[in-house]
Amino acid sequence: MMVLKFGGTSVGSPGAIERVIGILKDSAHAGRAGVVVVSAFSGVTDALIEAGRTAAQGRDYAAKLSALEKRHVECVRHFLSGAEGEAAVREIGRAFQKLELLLHSVLILKELSARTLDCVMGFGERLCAELLARVFSAKGVPADYLDSRLVIRTDEQFGKAKVLQEETARLIKGHFAGRTRLQIAAGFIGSTADGAAATLGRGGSDLSAAIYGAALGVEEIEIWTDVDGIMTADPKLVKNAFTIERLSYAEAMELSHFGAKVLHAPTVQPALDANIPIRIRNVFRPEGTGTLISSQRDVQGEREAQHEHEAQCAREVQHEHEAQQGREVQHEHEVQHEREVQHEHDVLPVKGISSIGDITLVLVQGTGMVGVAGFSARLFSALSRENISVILYTQASSEYSICFAVMPEDGGRAAAAVNAEFEREIATGSLDLPLVERDKAVIAVVGSKMESTAGISGKVFYALGRNGVNVDAIAQGSSEINISLVVAAKDVSKALNSVHEAFFLSGTRSVNLFLVGLGLIGGTLLDQIARQREVLAEKYKIHINIAGLANSKKMLFAPPQAGSALPLVREGRFTTSGINPAEAVQLLEGGAAFNSAEFITLMKAANLPNTAFCDCTASEEVASHYEDILRSSIPVVTPNKKANSGSLDYYKRLTSYSQDRGIPYLYEVTVCAGLPVISTLRDLHLSGDTVRRIEGVFSGTLSFIFNNFDGSKPFSALVREAKAKGYTEPDPRDDLNAMDAARKALILARECGMPLEFADVRIDPILPEACFAAKSVEAFFTELEKSDAGFEQRRAAAAADGKMLRYIAIVEAGSARLSLRAEPEGSPFRSLVDADNIVVITSDRYVKLPMVVKGPGAGAEVTAGAVFSDIVRIARTLV
């Protein structure tokens, strides 16, 4: 025998009822279902409560009752006709007459007691169960109506009545003795010893099903609802949540206690006591197996899952070889990957993450509780007297403080109860007034195998800390099946997504990217992301999601959903979110006016997990926000040199905060584009080497000009050629003033620990002052042509000594300078071609033969590619 329970949405319409009939007739249930427990039609219980409260306020409730009666009658008319239909309609009419008399009494007395409200609320389940018994019988599933008030006995705690287990079990067994027809039982209700209707509280219909199942010793209890089972997290907040195939009773109780709404914790206990499995299934997808809850973890199932996982991996390799065969193979790869994720979950130590999104934390502390026996007993007795339920409790080992979590409506009463109980201790100052902290949330990480797996807590706290989620309180039972954390309510979505990704996404890492600057570098970066994101997602499980972007005029954000989670969109064979980078520029045209401060504020307010900020501008104003961004635990990636070549104090604050807090601040691209210069210097320092001298050509423009200044063309002609090739800024003086190269030299000096300001960098000018004083670009070239003879004279003098001119930066002995030097044959600076950059590093280890880093130091593709690499590096540091 089986017990099946159907919730309000499962029976809330004729179409839904048809699905239930189909389930009862299928091969898995025909002849096996002994009891069907039903809730009221969806929305009916709330409507009945509203009608009762309306009557208690002395207002007319007739329209509400009429609408409810009409809904039930319409359902009858849909399924039943003739004498059977008329009999059902008359029965509904009699029920509503009784309900009307009851509410009329409430109207006269203007009082709605808990006892009366229970009687009113119970009408919904009774109407539904009696109606469905008639419909099922008419549709070929012989059934009788069972009024649960006859067999479920409770105490008199109306609204949340406790079931008297022994008497209830005796009454249920007595009712079923000799009966063979399916019983359609009203969930949620029972009755007291004197026959008063009593409701079982939140999740009461689930509890009813468990009570029937336990009393009858059925083989399985099925809870049919509108989702596929218990999920790894709330799917409204975590878009990548998926169904858990198996749970132990303990795991299910922990998840349901901390907010998993599919199942209510009291439901599990009767089934646990009787060792009866519970299965959660989806009435809209009956072919699914749902979630099975039982006393033992399925060891054999786990072995089979592991075997299947290995087989899937082997098949995946095969499909990689067959990738050329087209999209059919790719689709199969996706299906297999989804199966693999589920199989991997079967052997993970963590089974699910649940949350309560709104709780209040109460803190009690003071020296008067240290070493005092019975303090906790007094505290919880005081709370118990006020009927306040404690969700979570933790005490410091010093015994100096205790904090506990309660529902928001109980926060004030809890503080008052503490004040009353410890009035004397508070008056003498040995105990502080209780501190009430509102707008908090609880997340619970649950899994029976956590107790035998090291590092679970570390992984949880790293995921939260990496995303800037502060933990206010921690609780872990001695069973180690649950780690519960209190965080700010505003952070609950980010916390859930961060921890869920850390445990369940099989190595998948995502970055929610906010990009400012869509010029040459930023635009090229978007193109590279658009071309590469599918490969990153499929092959490396890295998702780059464009959550926001801006140029100098407009800004645009991906539309947030509940909990500030970005909408997930199925694109091809991988799941992504946010703004499509291939359409970003066009979409941005419809954005709001850009304001850098507002952009940063909105980025922080989105509160997305794994957020990263990328600045592809040259704006000093945008760079001024880096400190605020880092302090919000958001990594920064940038080719913008303004922050690190600005004030020394600002540079130190940024780099120190990044190092101390572990928030990535990646600016490799600020010097020599894609060349690994900064990272090389860091590696030398970390490995114990000391850098003594750095020489380099840091400007691609100046590199091109002097690499080609061999006397065949005048100097001015080479500058014009560099401008035509796009190597210079629109005004070449912005390159020839060497300010950009000086900023790079300053950054490298600071990376070597030299406390220099920009004013300390000595720049030997390349051009005569008249060139800089020119009123226009053409006027500049006119003045530059006047200097050609002087440049040629310097070049020829160097050539006479077998040397060539190069504009070189030198960092050494606490100083930085840039000057035009004549380089002899064999100099590494004469090996440059086109717009190459070069850095020559002399250190204690690299004395006789300095280290040389050389290659393209400019160009949109190279620079954007290096920025892209840093963004991917952030994703890979999330493990």
Side-chain angles (χ1 to χ4, degrees):
M1 182 186 295
M2 301 174 67
V3 172
L4 282 68
K5 179 263 175 178
F6 293 94
T9 55
S10 301
V11 294
S13 67
I17 293 172
E18 292 280 9
R19 281 189 288 271
V20 172
I21 294 171
I23 290 169
L24 294 175
K25 286 183 173 181
D26 68 27
S27 58
H29 299 97
R32 296 178 64 201
V35 187
V36 170
V37 177
V38 295
S39 300
F41 289 173
S42 55
V44 168
T45 300
D46 288 341
L48 288 170
I49 294 171
E50 181 62 26
R53 290 173 177 169
T54 300
Q57 294 166 1
R59 297 188 289 117
D60 186 19
Y61 53 82
K64 299 181 187 299
L65 285 195
S66 178
L68 287 176
E69 183 174 5
K70 180 181 178 182
R71 181 177 176 185
H72 287 80
V73 169
E74 287 177 349
C75 185
V76 168
R77 299 294 189 200
H78 180 86
F79 288 104
L80 304 175
S81 59
E84 182 65 22
E86 293 305 318
V89 170
R90 287 195 298 272
E91 189 60 39
I92 291 171
R94 285 192 289 270
F96 275 94
Q97 286 175 2
K98 294 177 182 177
L99 180 56
E100 199 282 330
L101 288 173
L102 181 60
L103 291 177
H104 183 67
S105 300
V106 173
L107 179 70
I108 293 172
L109 296 173
K110 291 185 174 58
E111 180 181 343
L112 183 64
S113 67
R115 178 178 179 137
T116 302
L117 180 59
D118 267 13
C119 187
V120 171
M121 286 193 294
F123 270 86
E125 274 71 20
R126 289 157 50 197
L127 283 165
C128 178
E130 187 167 7
L131 187 157
L132 290 181
R134 291 176 181 272
V135 170
F136 291 168
S137 296
K139 294 297 182 179
V141 183
D144 295 328
Y145 164 56
L146 170 56
D147 186 345
S148 291
R149 294 176 300 175
L150 301 175
V151 295
I152 295 182
R153 192 68 69 238
T154 73
D155 64 9
E156 296 185 355
Q157 188 178 334
F158 296 103
K160 193 176 181 182
K162 296 291 190 295
V163 176
L164 306 178
Q165 297 289 352
E166 291 185 6
E167 185 176 357
T168 295
R170 178 180 58 79
L171 291 171
I172 290 175
K173 290 175 182 177
H175 175 84
F176 278 83
R179 296 180 187 270
T180 57
R181 284 167 64 95
L182 176 65
Q183 302 293 292
I184 312 301
F188 183 54
I189 60 173
S191 66
T192 64
D194 63 357
T199 62
L200 307 182
R202 189 171 70 99
S205 291
D206 289 356
L207 178 56
S208 299
I211 290 168
Y212 279 111
L216 297 172
V218 299
E219 57 187 286
E220 188 170 284
I221 299 166
E222 291 188 345
I223 308 294
W224 289 82
T225 181
D226 56 357
V227 295
D228 285 341
I230 297 178
M231 309 288 280
T232 51
D234 184 349
K236 293 180 181 178
L237 298 177
V238 180
K239 300 303 176 183
N240 290 313
F242 55 89
T243 305
I244 305 171
E245 287 190 354
R246 304 174 190 87
L247 286 172
S248 68
Y249 289 124
E251 290 169 333
M253 291 183 74
E254 293 285 356
L255 287 171
S256 60
H257 175 71
F258 286 100
K261 298 177 182 178
V262 178
L263 185 70
H264 299 284
T267 304
V268 178
Q269 193 63 51
L272 186 156
D273 292 340
N275 196 26
I276 296 172
I278 300 174
R279 190 179 293 274
I280 314 297
R281 299 185 66 177
N282 189 347
V283 72
F284 300 102
R285 208 172 70 88
E287 68 277 9
T289 57
T291 299
L292 178 66
I293 303 166
S294 60
S295 59
Q296 299 288 331
R297 82 170 196 255
D298 189 348
V299 177
Q300 179 60 32
E302 291 177 1
R303 289 172 179 167
E304 291 175 359
Q306 182 64 30
H307 176 74
E308 177 64 14
H309 166 67
E310 293 170 357
Q312 297 292 354
C313 290
R315 284 195 288 270
E316 183 177 330
V317 171
Q318 179 62 30
H319 286 302
E320 285 292 331
H321 291 306
E322 298 172 357
Q324 302 302 321
Q325 295 180 5
R327 297 300 295 182
E328 291 182 4
V329 171
Q330 293 181 357
H331 175 71
E332 177 63 18
H333 174 83
E334 178 185 4
V335 171
Q336 289 185 8
H337 175 67
E338 290 174 354
R339 290 174 184 163
E340 179 183 330
V341 169
Q342 180 59 61
H343 289 311
E344 287 179 349
H345 177 257
D346 289 334
V347 294
L348 283 174
V350 171
K351 282 297 185 71
I353 308 164
S354 59
S355 62
I356 302 175
D358 188 12
I359 60 102
T360 291
L361 196 64
V362 181
L363 175 66
V364 182
Q365 64 181 13
T367 57
M369 57 193 290
V370 178
V372 177
F375 185 90
S376 296
R378 290 176 60 192
L379 172 63
F380 288 106
S381 293
L383 297 173
S384 178
R385 287 194 295 272
E386 297 298 322
N387 198 29
I388 296 172
S389 176
V390 174
I391 300 168
L392 174 149
Y393 158 81
T394 185
Q395 180 175 11
S397 59
S398 64
E399 300 184 45
Y400 179 76
S401 66
I402 292 175
C403 68
F404 57 91
V406 297
M407 295 307 291
E409 60 269 21
D410 293 332
R413 293 195 303 120
V418 173
N419 284 335
E421 177 65 31
F422 299 101
E423 182 179 8
R424 182 165 50 179
E425 288 87 347
I426 293 172
T428 61
S430 63
L431 201 67
D432 297 341
L433 284 169
L435 178 64
V436 178
E437 298 182 357
R438 302 188 183 276
D439 300 319
K440 300 296 181 180
V442 175
I443 65 170
V445 182
V446 175
S448 60
K449 288 191 288 185
M450 287 165 51
E451 60 182 334
S452 60
T453 305
I456 297 296
S457 296
K459 199 168 185 178
V460 171
F461 291 120
Y462 177 79
L464 295 176
R466 167 65 181 74
N467 283 280
V469 178
N470 186 53
V471 176
D472 295 303
I474 306 163
Q476 181 174 14
S478 58
S479 67
E480 298 186 47
I481 194 174
N482 179 341
I483 300 173
S484 301
L485 313 164
V486 177
V487 301
K490 66 180 180 62
D491 289 333
V492 67
S493 175
K494 180 161 67 170
L496 285 170
N497 278 276
S498 301
V499 177
H500 188 270
E501 182 171 290
F503 283 102
F504 294 132
L505 295 190
S506 187
T508 297
R509 296 293 177 261
S510 63
V511 171
N512 288 309
L513 183 66
F514 290 81
L515 171 63
V516 176
L518 296 184
L520 185 60
I521 304 304
T524 304
L525 173 63
L526 274 180
D527 291 341
Q528 291 177 350
I529 292 173
R531 293 196 303 267
Q532 185 67 8
R533 64 175 185 163
E534 185 170 348
V535 173
L536 283 174
E538 293 181 351
K539 190 171 182 180
Y540 301 103
K541 299 180 182 179
I542 293 175
H543 297 267
I544 308 297
N545 308 319
I546 309 297
L549 53 88
N551 59 20
S552 60
K553 297 180 180 179
K554 297 283 188 177
M555 61 184 184
L556 179 70
F557 294 88
Q561 288 187 333
S564 296
L566 291 176
L568 292 180
V569 181
R570 177 67 66 177
E571 294 189 1
R573 294 176 49 227
F574 66 99
T575 301
T576 186
S577 63
I579 301 166
N580 185 344
E583 302 174 356
V585 175
Q586 293 83 353
L587 292 171
L588 187 59
E589 293 176 1
F594 173 66
N595 177 284
S596 63
E598 184 180 359
F599 186 93
I600 303 307
T601 298
L602 290 173
M603 175 181 69
K604 294 192 297 182
N607 209 24
L608 297 174
N610 305 332
T611 294
F613 176 76
C614 181
D615 173 20
C616 286
T617 73
S619 165
E620 189 170 347
E621 200 274 333
V622 173
S624 70
H625 294 289
Y626 289 0
E627 184 174 15
D628 180 33
I629 295 168
L630 290 171
R631 289 189 179 277
S632 299
S633 298
I634 297 174
V636 174
V637 177
T638 184
N640 186 347
K641 291 175 281 294
K642 296 299 173 63
N644 286 2
S645 61
S647 75
L648 177 62
D649 178 64
Y650 190 52
Y651 165 81
K652 286 183 174 180
R653 293 205 307 272
L654 295 180
T655 54
S656 296
Y657 192 86
S658 171
Q659 292 167 7
D660 294 344
R661 299 300 179 91
I663 310 300
Y665 175 39
L666 305 180
Y667 48 88
E668 179 78 69
V669 192
T670 57
V671 178
C672 299
L675 299 182
V677 178
I678 292 175
S679 58
T680 298
L681 290 177
R682 286 180 182 166
D683 289 344
L684 291 174
H685 173 72
L686 291 173
S687 64
D689 199 358
T690 300
V691 174
R692 301 299 180 182
R693 179 183 176 92
I694 300 174
E695 299 172 281
V697 172
F698 300 148
S699 167
T701 301
L702 295 177
S703 179
F704 172 81
I705 292 171
F706 285 105
N707 290 344
N708 292 280
F709 190 32
D710 56 6
S712 61
K713 295 179 182 179
F715 187 83
S716 62
L718 287 172
V719 175
R720 286 188 182 276
E721 186 177 343
K723 183 176 185 299
K725 288 179 175 289
Y727 289 150
T728 75
E729 297 294 330
D731 188 335
R733 288 172 291 185
D734 292 337
D735 296 284
L736 293 171
N737 63 13
M739 297 294 286
D740 183 67
R743 290 184 182 277
K744 295 173 183 177
L746 176 62
I747 292 171
L748 293 185
R750 288 174 172 178
E751 288 294 307
C752 291
M754 300 178 191
L756 301 181
E757 297 286 0
F758 188 76
D760 298 326
V761 181
R762 195 182 79 197
I763 305 173
D764 292 345
I766 301 171
L767 304 177
E769 184 58 36
C771 290
F772 292 108
K775 301 296 184 182
S776 67
V777 173
E778 278 307 311
F780 153 70
F781 274 111
T782 299
E783 290 295 332
L784 184 60
E785 288 169 359
K786 296 177 183 178
S787 303
D788 280 342
F791 277 107
E792 175 57 25
Q793 184 177 1
R794 293 185 66 179
R795 185 205 67 76
D801 291 335
K803 299 178 180 179
M804 299 181 71
L805 296 178
R806 296 291 185 268
Y807 195 75
I808 297 171
I810 304 100
V811 176
E812 65 177 345
S815 67
R817 65 185 185 275
L818 293 91
S819 60
L820 189 61
R821 291 193 334 198
E823 292 296 304
E825 188 176 352
S827 166
F829 300 104
R830 291 180 59 168
S831 65
L832 298 176
V833 296
D834 200 53
D836 277 357
N837 281 188
I838 187 171
V839 179
V840 179
I841 301 171
T842 302
S843 71
D844 288 350
R845 293 178 188 157
Y846 295 90
V847 178
K848 294 181 179 180
L849 187 63
M851 178 186 291
V852 176
V853 181
K854 183 178 73 171
E861 285 291 338
V862 171
T863 305
V867 174
F868 195 180
S869 295
D870 278 346
I871 294 170
V872 172
R873 186 173 292 111
I874 287 176
R876 298 180 68 179
T877 61
L878 298 177
V879 297

